[in-house]
Amino acid sequence: MANEGISANLTRTLEYLSLSKPRRALYKFTHFFTDQPAKIRVWAQKKRKTNRERVKKTRGVFQTLADGIREGDWKTRLSYLFMGTGLVTRHQIIRGTLYFLYEVFFILFMVFVGGKSLAGLPSLGTVATVTYPYVDPNNGVEVSLQTTVDNSFTILLYSILTFVFMLIFIFLWYQQISDSLKLQRMSYIGRFASDRETLNNVLDRHYDRTLLFLPMLGLVLFTVIPIIMMIFIGFTDYDYQHLTPTNLFDWVGWNNFAGVFSSSGSTSSGNFLAVFGQVLLWTLCWAFFATFSNYFLGMIVAMIINLKGIKLKKLWRTILITTIAVPQFISLLLISKMFGDTGLVNGLFQKWGWISNYIPWLSSEWLAKVMIVLLNTWVGIPYTMLMCTGLLMNIPEDLYESARIDGASAPKMFQKITLPYMLFVTTPYLISQFVGNINNFNVIYFLSGGNPVFNGAGIPVSIVNAGLGKTDLLITWLYKMTVNSATKDYGTASVIGLLIFVVVAFFSLLTYNNSKSVQDEEAFQ
């Protein structure tokens, strides 16, 4: 079987090498999709192996808990109720005290906050903010006072925090029992641990974990919990009619997802799906062209400035770098005014007699899309040029000298030396730029504002009220849905936000895992 596999790979390699360059590109493109089933099978095999290992670890967890009850002394057994007891009584006072303090915090949190939030989670509250008149006895003026009884948003948020704290508590509870049992067994052979060993682990042996603690904490608080919150809100009717704390919102199941994806229901749902598809397609096209136009044009500008015959190199670099100091939104607003229907460009063209009516640079769908991509290159090229300048200087000059001796032309050297090196080094940058352009709010909002807007018969009311335009990205659509007072449809916006996350994660992981930066890390070292 192994020989058959080697023979098949050799046949495919020979077949590939016999093709012309255009057919090689087509070959790569088609086999990328045909190879996916095999890759999925390999992934499934690895997943089954991982699951088996996970089952073994799970059994080990229950085995440790059983050993703690069966073999543990009174110190270990008391740790089942009072976290850290087995450590404090075995000279690890710092760790044991921290375990106990977290247990106290968790109990207090559950009594005063967590328990109430979990009790209100199924209904997300029953009584909203109550407003009642109140007469001030000092001056007799009647005012309106509010008493907040339930708040659906805080109930949902505190419930998520409660689940997070519960997971942390379970992990720490098991960990301190395992540590206590380990210390107990170490004492049988006369070996003891102390706080000095704990400090040595924190500051030396496991210093990497200490350094990563704060970043991981920030990741959980500002990324993981908001994503979980967004997912939960996607299953509610949180909108302008159910704004907290005045009104409560409730669970609606998969209704928001059905409103986005369903094309077999009402005309409104079908049009919503069609509009969503247009916005998604434009978002991906915009991200692709915005990323690679800036990348290649910035690289070309950097290469031109680096040419030996170019004079005043420092001046040109300084001019381009200086443009970065100007806030981007100022440049975008100025450009949008210049290319507006009644802006400077149209005014000059009419004055010179070149046109009779204004050119809809940013108000016509297709022309606006082309202009947005072109204007984005004007704003973004200096950033890419600055990055490429440093990388181009690190390419060994010997490679170019050898290529010149072999008779290679400048385009050939760019294709075989410069471009492969740049792509290898900058693949993570390209991924971050692609993701950033999918979520590029500034360029679209300040240049076109998403215009021209969707209108006409059959367009869903929610899209019309939000002012969604044909040059809007998913991120600007999400912004309009949540900020516009006529919609404030947080439920549907959460679904769209989740879709943005899925699209970004899919393309990022697919590109990163198939890049040479990952598959051949030592190629340029």
Side-chain angles (χ1 to χ4, degrees):
M1 295 296 291
N3 292 333
E4 292 179 2
I6 295 174
S7 177
N9 290 333
L10 181 60
T11 302
R12 288 186 57 179
T13 302
L14 293 175
E15 178 186 354
Y16 174 77
L17 293 175
S18 64
L19 299 174
S20 61
K21 290 184 179 180
R23 297 188 65 182
R24 285 183 186 181
L26 180 62
Y27 182 91
K28 286 183 178 180
F29 179 78
T30 55
H31 279 74
F32 171 80
F33 295 98
T34 57
D35 290 344
Q36 293 307 312
K39 292 183 179 180
I40 292 175
R41 284 196 298 271
V42 173
W43 174 82
Q45 292 173 357
K46 292 181 180 179
K47 195 68 176 177
R48 285 195 294 268
K49 183 179 179 181
T50 304
N51 290 336
R52 286 195 295 269
E53 294 176 353
R54 190 174 295 137
V55 170
K56 291 181 180 179
K57 290 181 180 180
T58 304
R59 292 175 181 173
V61 169
F62 288 106
Q63 185 65 40
T64 300
L65 296 176
D67 291 344
I69 297 175
R70 185 174 58 253
E71 303 175 6
D73 55 12
W74 68 270
K75 301 174 184 178
T76 300
R77 293 177 180 176
L78 195 59
S79 298
Y80 282 80
L81 293 178
F82 302 103
M83 288 173 57
T85 303
L87 278 71
V88 172
T89 55
R90 292 188 173 92
H91 311 293
Q92 292 215 352
I93 300 175
I94 296 177
R95 291 178 62 196
T97 303
L98 292 176
Y99 279 125
F100 179 74
L101 289 177
Y102 184 80
E103 182 180 15
V104 172
F105 160 77
F106 180 73
I107 292 174
L108 293 175
F109 179 82
M110 290 298 296
V111 170
F112 294 102
V113 179
K116 297 178 182 178
S117 299
L118 292 179
L121 185 61
S123 62
L124 292 176
T126 55
V127 181
T129 300
V130 178
T131 303
Y132 60 92
Y134 173 76
V135 178
D136 191 336
N138 296 324
N139 52 27
V141 178
E142 181 176 316
V143 296
S144 297
L145 297 180
Q146 291 185 340
T147 300
T148 303
V149 180
D150 289 325
N151 189 319
S152 299
F153 189 86
T154 56
I155 290 175
L156 185 57
L157 176 60
Y158 288 143
S159 297
I160 293 173
L161 290 176
T162 302
F163 285 123
V164 173
F165 290 149
M166 287 176 65
L167 291 175
I168 296 175
F169 176 81
I170 294 172
F171 172 77
L172 294 180
W173 179 76
Y174 165 77
Q175 191 65 42
Q176 57 94 28
I177 292 175
S178 176
D179 291 344
S180 179
L181 189 60
K182 188 183 299 182
L183 291 173
Q184 177 185 331
R185 290 169 176 170
M186 288 169 55
S187 65
Y188 294 157
I189 58 175
R191 185 171 180 271
F192 300 94
S194 63
D195 286 335
R196 180 177 297 179
E197 184 174 343
T198 299
L199 293 175
N200 180 63
N201 289 335
V202 171
L203 301 177
D204 186 10
R205 185 179 178 186
H206 298 302
Y207 188 58
D208 54 331
R209 301 179 186 178
T210 305
L211 288 177
L212 288 174
F213 173 74
L214 287 179
M216 290 302 297
L217 179 63
L219 179 68
V220 172
L221 292 178
F222 303 115
T223 302
V224 176
I225 291 179
I227 289 176
I228 297 174
M229 188 75 179
M230 177 182 66
I231 294 173
F232 275 83
I233 290 178
F235 293 92
T236 67
D237 59 356
Y238 191 16
D239 58 16
Y240 72 101
Q241 294 178 335
H242 305 88
L243 292 178
T244 59
T246 307
N247 296 308
L248 301 174
F249 55 84
D250 201 358
W251 302 107
V252 293
W254 296 91
N255 289 356
N256 293 323
F257 290 86
V260 173
F261 291 107
S262 176
S263 60
S264 59
S266 63
T267 304
S268 177
S269 298
N271 285 334
F272 194 99
L273 180 62
V275 172
F276 174 79
Q278 292 182 46
V279 177
L280 176 61
L281 180 61
W282 159 238
T283 300
L284 296 178
C285 292
W286 147 258
F288 176 83
F289 287 110
T291 300
F292 288 99
S293 61
N294 278 353
Y295 180 73
F296 286 107
L297 291 176
M299 188 190 305
I300 292 172
V301 171
M303 292 175 62
I304 292 174
I305 295 177
N306 284 347
L307 290 175
K308 292 183 178 180
I310 299 297
K311 298 181 180 180
L312 303 175
K313 293 183 179 182
K314 293 184 179 180
L315 175 63
W316 305 127
R317 288 173 184 155
T318 302
I319 292 174
L320 288 170
I321 293 173
T322 303
T323 60
I324 301 176
V326 180
Q328 189 184 70
F329 81 94
I330 293 179
S331 301
L332 295 173
L333 282 176
L334 179 61
I335 293 174
S336 68
K337 298 301 182 184
M338 290 176 59
F339 286 91
D341 293 343
T342 57
L344 176 64
V345 175
N346 278 324
L348 289 176
F349 285 178
Q350 288 178 333
K351 182 178 179 180
W352 295 337
W354 291 2
I355 58 175
S356 56
N357 296 321
Y358 68 85
I359 300 175
W361 301 106
L362 298 173
S363 57
S364 174
E365 178 183 358
W366 294 107
L367 183 56
K369 289 179 178 180
V370 173
M371 288 295 298
I372 287 172
V373 173
L374 294 177
L375 294 174
N376 179 69
T377 60
W378 176 262
V379 176
I381 280 178
Y383 296 90
T384 310
M385 183 278 303
L386 184 62
M387 178 198 67
C388 291
T389 298
L391 294 177
L392 289 171
M393 292 179 179
N394 290 326
I395 301 178
E397 186 64 27
D398 296 343
L399 296 176
Y400 293 107
E401 291 295 336
S402 300
R404 292 190 189 97
I405 293 173
D406 293 338
S409 61
K412 200 70 174 179
M413 287 189 289
F414 174 79
Q415 179 187 355
K416 297 296 183 180
I417 299 176
T418 307
L419 186 60
Y421 182 89
M422 294 294 292
L423 289 176
F424 180 86
V425 176
T426 60
T427 295
Y429 165 80
L430 283 174
I431 294 173
S432 65
Q433 283 294 100
F434 184 81
V435 172
N437 283 319
I438 287 179
N439 295 314
N440 196 329
F441 178 87
N442 290 348
V443 173
I444 303 298
Y445 191 79
F446 290 119
L447 281 181
S448 68
N451 294 320
V453 298
F454 283 96
N455 51 34
I459 300 297
V461 177
S462 59
I463 291 178
V464 175
N465 290 340
L468 178 65
K470 297 179 180 179
T471 59
D472 268 315
L473 305 180
L474 288 176
I475 189 67
T476 56
W477 185 8
L478 189 151
Y479 172 79
K480 290 181 177 180
M481 291 186 69
T482 54
V483 172
N484 196 312
S485 59
T487 53
K488 289 190 180 296
D489 192 352
Y490 296 102
T492 305
S494 296
V495 175
I496 295 176
L498 181 60
L499 292 174
I500 294 175
F501 171 75
V502 172
V503 169
V504 168
F506 173 78
F507 282 101
S508 299
L509 293 175
L510 182 66
T511 306
Y512 184 71
N513 290 329
N514 286 279
S515 65
K516 291 186 178 180
S517 301
V518 175
Q519 297 178 355
D520 192 12
E521 294 184 11
E522 299 180 357
F524 285 90
Q525 292 181 358

